[in-house]
Amino acid sequence: MPAANNTNKFLTLSEILSQVRIVVAREFSMPIWIKADMLKLNHYSASGHAFPELVEKTNGKVTAKCQSMIWADDLQRIATNFRQVTGKTLSDGIEILFRAEIRFHEQFGMRLRIIDIDAQYTLGQMAMERKKTIEKLKTEELFFLNKQISLAEIPGRLAIISAATSRGMHDLKNIIFTAGAAYKIKMTLFTAVLQGARGAETIASRILQIGKRADEFDAILIIRGGGDDTGMDCYDDYALARTVCECQLPVITGIGHSTNETVTEMVAHTNKITPTDVAYFVVGKFSEQLMRLQDLTAQLSAQALMTIAEQEQFLQDLAQSVSEIAREEFQQQKDFLMQAGNIIQQKSFQKVAAATTKLDSSAAELRTASQRVIMTQQHRTDMLNSSLSQHFQSFIRKNNSTLDILESKVTMLDPQNILRRGYSITLHEGKIVKSGKALKDGSEIETVLLDGRVKSIVQKNKKDKK
């Protein structure tokens, strides 16, 4: 290659770079708005300055790259505004729309001095990503999957994803140990990062870990509380939301986020804003079952009382029926004995009369007999009368014994004797009450006891529910 001619015109490196600086200063004399991905923030805590690495990507490939700077004062103002608007800290890997001054120096090259970042733009990008995540989960028919899992009526075995020192975990345990002290609730803690860049990854890994022990738990609780709302975007992460959807245990969230509902909260089986709400929800499940048991106990008690009342009325009716039957039987036996006595007496008289007639007819013939024969005959007649009298007395005693037994049974079934055994008779308008259905609130009833009567007013009539 021929040597350069000293007479030819040329520019030195400093001259060309100086011209570039002049062109840049002329064309970009005022700050302009630029869109790019902030690959690295490169914040130096000692100085407070940051030197973000900016890139532009097309189809995943870097097509442009530039260094930038944010002075400490500007960074403090920008970061505060960014956190207030987006609820997220200014960090690596986010797309930003920023206002910058373009500076070029012959020694240091071109740099962008960022003086402002449009947090609303980043918020809009986050909202778009959130919407895409929701639509994707619905398209894959995963969005409502966890909600379809049945939660145990008594969720007593809880797998809790939280930080051991989390204030939300402290609030949850405080409610469980006070309001739920009467219930057996077992809590197993699985520690995780609850916000920020690693939040989604660690929470998802804990859900998968618990899923391998699903038979040991009734539900998974994601508990966070006691901090600000920064770093909450991890709960909009697609991978975490999908893990919640596909979890075979019902997931209950209480992450203390009272503004916009995150995707993870949307797909969870149950979302309660605060850990305290989650605790009361769990305790409430136990209380609901306790109330059901109390209602069943009340129903069984009422049924038992009704059955006892029915049986008492049945016994009263039976006693009255037996008493009437016994009286009738006693009267029949008495009438029978009276008739039998009359018949025996008549037959005795008849036999005596016949014997007397026979003796009279034979008197003429017997007059010639000796006094000894007469005495013998007289003695035989006396013996016959004595035997007949003994048989009659024995018959009377035997039947009197039967009457005594029947009279004893009748006495045992007498209502007064039933009252002496501790039973009572309830009357309404002078009639025996056989069923609670016949009574209304305000009805006056009279209870018959052994030693008196008591009048009462019905205040609440619990009817049998069948």
Side-chain angles (χ1 to χ4, degrees), residues 154 182-183 283-303 460 462 465:
I154 303 179
Y183 310 126
V283 173
K285 286 291 182 181
F286 281 82
S287 299
E288 288 175 6
Q289 295 305 313
L290 178 61
M291 290 181 63
R292 288 184 58 188
L293 289 175
Q294 289 174 343
D295 290 341
L296 289 174
T297 301
Q299 292 177 15
L300 290 174
S301 178
Q303 179 66 34
K460 187 174 182 183
K462 295 185 178 180
K465 299 180 181 178

Side-chain angles (χ1 to χ4, degrees), residues 211-226:
K212 295 178 181 179
R213 300 167 55 186
D215 57 337
E216 300 178 26
F217 303 103
D218 297 318
I220 297 176
L221 275 57
I222 302 177
I223 299 301
R224 173 192 175 277

Side-chain angles (χ1 to χ4, degrees), residues 325-394:
I325 292 173
R327 288 193 186 94
E328 293 178 357
E329 183 68 21
F330 176 78
Q331 188 61 43
Q332 290 177 0
Q333 291 297 327
K334 184 177 180 180
D335 293 341
F336 171 75
L337 291 176
M338 292 294 293
Q339 293 176 0
N342 292 333
I343 293 173
I344 291 172
Q345 188 176 21
Q346 290 177 2
K347 287 185 176 181
S348 297
F349 290 158
Q350 290 175 357
K351 286 183 178 180
V352 171
T356 302
T357 302
K358 186 177 181 180
L359 288 174
D360 291 339
S361 63
S362 301
E365 297 177 359
L366 292 175
R367 289 188 185 98
T368 58
S370 65
Q371 187 67 31
R372 185 178 180 181
V373 173
I374 293 172
M375 291 178 63
T376 300
Q377 291 297 328
Q378 184 65 41
H379 178 70
R380 289 179 62 187
T381 301
D382 292 340
M383 291 294 292
L384 180 61
N385 286 332
S386 176
S387 176
L388 181 62
S389 177
Q390 289 177 1
H391 281 297
F392 178 75
Q393 292 296 328
S394 176

Side-chain angles (χ1 to χ4, degrees), residues 146-377:
N146 194 255
K147 295 181 182 295
Q148 296 172 1
I149 300 174
S150 297
L151 178 63
E153 292 183 348
I154 303 179
R157 303 174 303 164
L158 306 176
I160 303 175
I161 299 175
S162 186
T165 57
S166 166
R167 180 176 176 182
M169 183 64 186
H170 176 270
D171 293 342
L172 175 79
K173 292 169 67 176
N174 184 50
I175 299 301
I176 293 294
F177 292 148
T178 53
Y183 310 126
K184 185 177 181 181
I185 302 176
K186 179 182 178 182
M187 297 179 287
T188 304
L189 177 63
F190 294 82
T191 57
V193 178
L194 300 176
Q195 61 191 49
R198 296 186 57 241
E201 178 186 351
T202 57
I203 294 173
S205 67
R206 288 292 180 262
I207 292 175
L208 294 175
Q209 180 183 353
I210 296 168
K212 295 178 181 179
R213 300 167 55 186
D215 57 337
E216 300 178 26
F217 303 103
D218 297 318
I220 297 176
L221 275 57
I222 302 177
I223 299 301
R224 173 192 175 277
D228 55 28
D229 286 346
T230 59
M232 293 297 294
D233 56 302
C234 67
Y235 293 98
D236 287 326
D237 182 76
Y238 169 77
L240 173 58
R242 182 185 178 104
T243 302
V244 172
C245 291
E246 295 178 332
C247 181
Q248 55 187 309
L249 288 171
V251 178
I252 303 173
T253 55
I255 61 177
H257 189 53
S258 59
T259 54
N260 293 329
E261 192 175 26
T262 65
V263 178
T264 297
E265 292 172 300
M266 289 180 181
V267 300
H269 180 280
T270 302
N271 174 41
K272 298 295 179 181
I273 295 176
T274 66
T276 300
D277 293 334
V278 174
Y280 280 120
F281 173 76
V282 172
V283 173
K285 286 291 182 181
F286 281 82
S287 299
E288 288 175 6
Q289 295 305 313
L290 178 61
M291 290 181 63
R292 288 184 58 188
L293 289 175
Q294 289 174 343
D295 290 341
L296 289 174
T297 301
Q299 292 177 15
L300 290 174
S301 178
Q303 179 66 34
L305 292 174
M306 184 63 67
T307 301
I308 292 172
E310 291 177 351
Q311 292 300 318
E312 288 179 349
Q313 187 61 47
F314 171 75
L315 290 174
Q316 291 176 4
D317 294 343
L318 181 62
Q320 184 176 0
S321 176
V322 170
S323 177
E324 292 175 356
I325 292 173
R327 288 193 186 94
E328 293 178 357
E329 183 68 21
F330 176 78
Q331 188 61 43
Q332 290 177 0
Q333 291 297 327
K334 184 177 180 180
D335 293 341
F336 171 75
L337 291 176
M338 292 294 293
Q339 293 176 0
N342 292 333
I343 293 173
I344 291 172
Q345 188 176 21
Q346 290 177 2
K347 287 185 176 181
S348 297
F349 290 158
Q350 290 175 357
K351 286 183 178 180
V352 171
T356 302
T357 302
K358 186 177 181 180
L359 288 174
D360 291 339
S361 63
S362 301
E365 297 177 359
L366 292 175
R367 289 188 185 98
T368 58
S370 65
Q371 187 67 31
R372 185 178 180 181
V373 173
I374 293 172
M375 291 178 63
T376 300
Q377 291 297 328

